[in-house]
Amino acid sequence: MTNDIGRFSSPDTETPAGTPAEEQKPAQLVYGSAEEFLHEQLLPTYVRDVDGRAAKWCIEWYYHPEAVTRVEALWRAWEHLRLDGATGISVWFKDHADHHMSVMLDPRGPFYKCDMQKHRDPEHLEPKKAPEGWFPDVRAQET
């Protein structure tokens, strides 16, 4: 059973002190995917005027790897922080939603070439490889 706080939920009861960690079950996810989270939680609660000048969004956001990664990060953080009935919601907005949404909605962000009606593929950075030896593979040094 859960207590609903808006769309955030927290457990009715806490795991009793002294219960071994291996006996504690992880909390059930509210959303089954980052896309479900985006449509059911994030966009309905994080409402902004997306006019193309001060804020941009792409109708086909899933074609932008940066956006997909950020939405996934927002979803996973939300699922974790929703269980903190004291400050979880505030921490999620302050440290996660406000940060990632500001980056995604920025006119120079991942949707810089798109608008609400049309997706346009972004130009990807094409870096040169550094000279040999500048960045040794540290995995070989860990053994």
Side-chain angles (χ1 to χ4, degrees):
M1 190 77 167
T2 61
N3 291 324
D4 288 335
I5 306 169
R7 291 184 188 226
F8 286 80
S9 305
S10 61
D12 265 348
T13 57
E14 295 181 19
T15 303
T19 302
E22 61 272 4
E23 291 180 22
Q24 297 176 17
K25 292 181 181 177
Q28 178 112 11
L29 295 174
V30 173
Y31 300 105
S33 70
E35 182 180 31
E36 181 184 4
F37 169 76
L38 177 89
H39 289 283
E40 300 294 323
Q41 174 65 38
L42 182 60
L43 295 183
T45 59
Y46 205 93
V47 179
R48 297 294 184 272
D49 184 18
V50 180
D51 62 5
R53 292 183 311 268
K56 293 193 78 143
W57 186 261
C58 180
I59 196 163
E60 295 180 302
W61 64 275
Y62 40 81
Y63 284 126
H64 299 267
E66 178 184 352
V68 171
T69 302
R70 287 180 183 278
V71 171
E72 178 88 14
L74 285 167
W75 168 50
R76 292 181 179 280
W78 185 91
E79 289 284 3
H80 175 75
L81 290 168
R82 73 182 173 84
L83 300 173
D84 177 351
T87 61
I89 296 167
S90 180
V91 168
W92 181 79
F93 270 105
K94 178 181 73 70
D95 291 348
H96 301 278
D98 289 342
H99 171 73
H100 289 296
M101 291 302 287
S102 291
V103 171
M104 282 197 291
L105 293 172
D106 188 291
R108 297 165 299 169
F111 307 131
Y112 72 98
K113 291 184 97 173
C114 301
D115 57 45
M116 291 295 293
Q117 286 76 41
K118 183 158 175 58
H119 165 76
R120 292 176 184 89
D121 287 330
E123 296 173 17
H124 295 279
L125 298 175
E126 296 294 335
K128 292 176 78 176
K129 290 277 189 178
E132 187 69 35
W134 280 31
F135 297 97
D137 187 335
V138 296
R139 295 173 293 190
Q141 299 169 3
E142 291 178 353
T143 58

